[in-house]
Amino acid sequence: GPKVLQIPSHQIIDMGQMVTLNCDPVSNHLYFYWYKQILGQQMEFLVNFYNGKVMEKSKLFKDQFSVERPDGSYFTLKIQPTALEDSAVYFCASSLEQTNTEVFFGKGTRLTVV
Amino acid sequence: AQKVTQTQTSISVMEKTTVTMDCVYETQDSSYFLFWYKQTASGEIVFLIRQDSYKKENATVGHYSLNFQKPKSSIGLIITATQIEDSAVYFCAMREEGTNTGKLTFGDGTVLTVKP
């Protein structure tokens, strides 16, 4: 199926530092998402992005989080500054349409904040 | 608010048998889309099958099929002739037509173990 690529697969960072997670969505997709998963548990919605704007964000999407997709390149999640509780696997996803299509996920970036 | 509930935390079956995983959902929307995903041991999340709320016929893809019971807000996943490699975590998820974001809401997942 369609592939969403995430870079890097693992990232270890010191608490308080900035981290940027990169996502290359499926080429013709228009809607982009970030999800957070801790210890293989529930997939928790963070944010979705369309047409250069955040459409919806959850309470997990703290002020320290930001997303962007400059000039149609990578869709990024930036955390600045990082906190210990940000340690999780972050999944990027994309879909062609708003509701009537499947959402495809990347393999995730495992972020460890130490 | 939309909610998806998977009551089975884990299921263990013998290879080549049939397994059913339960999922119930809550929504105020009259039109919605239901999905099942599989998360493999490597962590990869793979789309398996979908059911659109307006379709009466149960979806089938390969050895995956759905048992859609709309009056009960239920969308069970049926895997026939299970294989060892079907061992994974299975997530039920929903998108509402009325949302302006396309957010996918997940259940907590069911761990399936297929034994030889």
Side-chain angles (χ1 to χ4, degrees):
Chain A
K3 298 294 185 185
V4 175
L5 301 177
Q6 288 189 244
I7 302 167
S9 56
H10 293 86
Q11 179 93 45
I12 300 174
I13 196 160
D14 292 326
M15 183 176 63
Q17 297 300 304
M18 181 192 78
V19 68
T20 299
L21 308 184
N22 297 297
C23 172
D24 187 9
V26 178
S27 61
N28 62 336
H29 283 188
L30 301 175
Y31 295 84
F32 313 118
Y33 308 85
W34 284 102
Y35 282 80
K36 178 180 181 181
Q37 187 181 45
I38 297 177
L39 295 177
Q41 297 175 358
Q42 188 178 20
M43 293 285 289
E44 298 191 276
F45 170 79
L46 285 177
V47 66
N48 90 315
F49 191 83
Y50 168 72
N51 197 26
K53 300 175 186 176
V54 169
M55 300 300 290
E56 181 181 355
K57 55 186 180 181
S58 72
K59 60 182 184 296
L60 297 177
F61 194 79
K62 304 181 294 183
D63 291 342
Q64 298 88 331
F65 288 33
S66 63
V67 291
E68 64 176 355
R69 194 185 188 208
D71 299 325
S73 60
Y74 284 146
F75 174 51
T76 62
L77 173 65
K78 182 184 295 184
I79 309 174
Q80 181 179 26
T82 50
L84 294 176
E85 60 264 27
D86 295 330
S87 295
V89 179
Y90 290 84
F91 288 93
C92 175
S94 69
S95 66
L96 178 61
E97 295 180 14
Q98 187 170 298
T99 55
N100 190 23
T101 55
E102 296 80 19
V103 178
F104 293 95
F105 287 80
K107 294 187 177 183
T109 294
R110 181 175 297 279
L111 176 65
T112 302
V113 182
V114 297
Chain B
Q2 57 184 338
K3 185 178 180 181
V4 177
T5 303
Q6 295 177 252
T7 56
Q8 300 156 306
T9 305
S10 64
I11 301 175
S12 180
V13 300
M14 300 302 293
E15 190 180 14
K16 300 179 185 177
T17 61
T18 295
V19 63
T20 298
M21 282 175 269
D22 301 330
C23 175
V24 293
Y25 56 90
E26 296 176 24
T27 178
Q28 302 298 318
D29 214 316
S30 59
S31 179
Y32 48 90
F33 306 89
L34 301 163
F35 305 86
W36 278 91
Y37 287 84
K38 165 184 175 180
Q39 186 168 31
T40 65
S42 67
E44 187 176 1
I45 298 171
V46 180
F47 163 73
L48 297 177
I49 190 169
R50 68 182 267 189
Q51 179 79 39
D52 299 345
S53 64
Y54 57 86
K55 291 186 177 179
K56 294 184 178 180
E57 187 174 325
N58 289 324
T60 299
V61 175
H63 74 146
Y64 302 107
S65 61
L66 296 177
N67 179 17
F68 181 40
Q69 299 184 58
K70 196 170 182 178
K72 295 184 179 180
S73 297
S74 171
I75 184 72
L77 174 69
I78 303 167
I79 307 177
T80 57
T82 52
Q83 303 164 13
I84 302 296
E85 50 266 34
D86 291 324
S87 296
V89 181
Y90 288 80
F91 289 99
C92 177
M94 177 173 65
R95 291 176 112 181
E96 294 175 320
E97 178 72 44
T99 179
N100 66 347
T101 68
K103 179 177 71 175
L104 196 60
T105 298
F106 285 85
D108 287 345
T110 297
V111 178
L112 175 66
T113 303
V114 181
K115 298 181 178 179

